[in-house]
Amino acid sequence: MKVIAPVRDHDTFGSGLYGASRDGGKRTHNGIDYACYPNSQVLSVTSGVVTKLGYPYKDDPTYRYVEVTDHDLRRFRYFYVKPSVSMNQMVIKGGILGKSQELNRRYVGITEHVHLEVKDQNNEFLDPNDFI
Ligand SMILES: [Zn+2]
């Protein structure tokens, strides 16, 4: 994901916009999906520190996410990214975090993308558009 990548449009799994509805309105999409081919370089939209290298799916440890915390203690999570950074590593804005992973293995027909979500210190979701 380069800083400016196309937002995932509506496919059979829904829309990649911030606030889009999921499961018939039961859930909300709390991030933005940036369409990209698998194995694309994913760059950090902010400077900060790597504070978590996590697993989005309990049943599939091959999928990963990278969390970067900025100086205002906002947490930026990049989902479906194979990390090339390590825990507590400093990253600069535009620095490489890893490579995007193939989602069609799990969701056949989905537009390949990286999901970015941002939370503030109170654990409230923020609109990633405000940081891009
Ligand atoms: Zn998403």
Side-chain angles (χ1 to χ4, degrees), residues 11-63:
D11 59 29
T12 49
F13 295 91
S15 156
L17 295 173
Y18 182 68
S21 149
R22 287 286 185 275
D23 295 340
K26 277 182 245 153
R27 291 189 302 125
T28 303
H29 187 236
N30 292 315
I32 296 182
D33 295 338
Y34 296 94
C36 60
Y37 291 109
N39 237 19
S40 299
Q41 266 185 352
V42 178
L43 309 181
S44 185
V45 300
T46 182
S47 298
V49 179
V50 176
T51 42
K52 194 161 188 179
L53 298 172
Y55 299 88
Y57 303 117
K58 281 190 181 124
D59 64 350
D60 189 344
T62 64
Y63 287 104

Side-chain angles (χ1 to χ4, degrees), residues 5-22 28-35 80 110-117 127-129:
V7 173
R8 172 184 156 222
D9 207 346
H10 196 95
D11 59 29
T12 49
F13 295 91
S15 156
L17 295 173
Y18 182 68
S21 149
R22 287 286 185 275
T28 303
H29 187 236
N30 292 315
I32 296 182
D33 295 338
Y34 296 94
Y80 324 123
I110 201 166
T111 305
E112 294 289 347
H113 66 274
V114 168
H115 169 102
L116 171 62
E117 61 184 44
D127 186 346
N129 278 313

Side-chain angles (χ1 to χ4, degrees), residues 43-127:
L43 309 181
S44 185
V45 300
T46 182
S47 298
V49 179
V50 176
T51 42
K52 194 161 188 179
L53 298 172
Y55 299 88
Y57 303 117
K58 281 190 181 124
D59 64 350
D60 189 344
T62 64
Y63 287 104
R64 304 299 307 272
Y65 70 83
V66 176
E67 180 187 87
V68 176
T69 300
D70 74 3
H71 61 282
D72 290 318
L73 301 181
R74 289 178 293 233
R75 285 167 289 140
F76 294 72
R77 283 188 176 180
Y78 303 78
F79 282 81
Y80 324 123
V81 175
K82 186 179 179 207
S84 60
V85 289
S86 24
M87 277 296 289
N88 303 314
Q89 185 179 325
M90 301 272 295
V91 293
I92 55 163
K93 183 177 179 174
I96 296 169
L97 298 176
K99 289 200 167 166
S100 63
Q101 299 184 292
E102 185 185 345
L103 278 173
N104 267 265
R105 241 177 351 101
R106 188 175 177 97
Y107 304 110
V108 176
I110 201 166
T111 305
E112 294 289 347
H113 66 274
V114 168
H115 169 102
L116 171 62
E117 61 184 44
V118 188
K119 276 184 173 180
D120 66 15
Q121 288 181 72
N122 303 318
N123 230 23
E124 303 282 345
F125 284 105
L126 304 174
D127 186 346

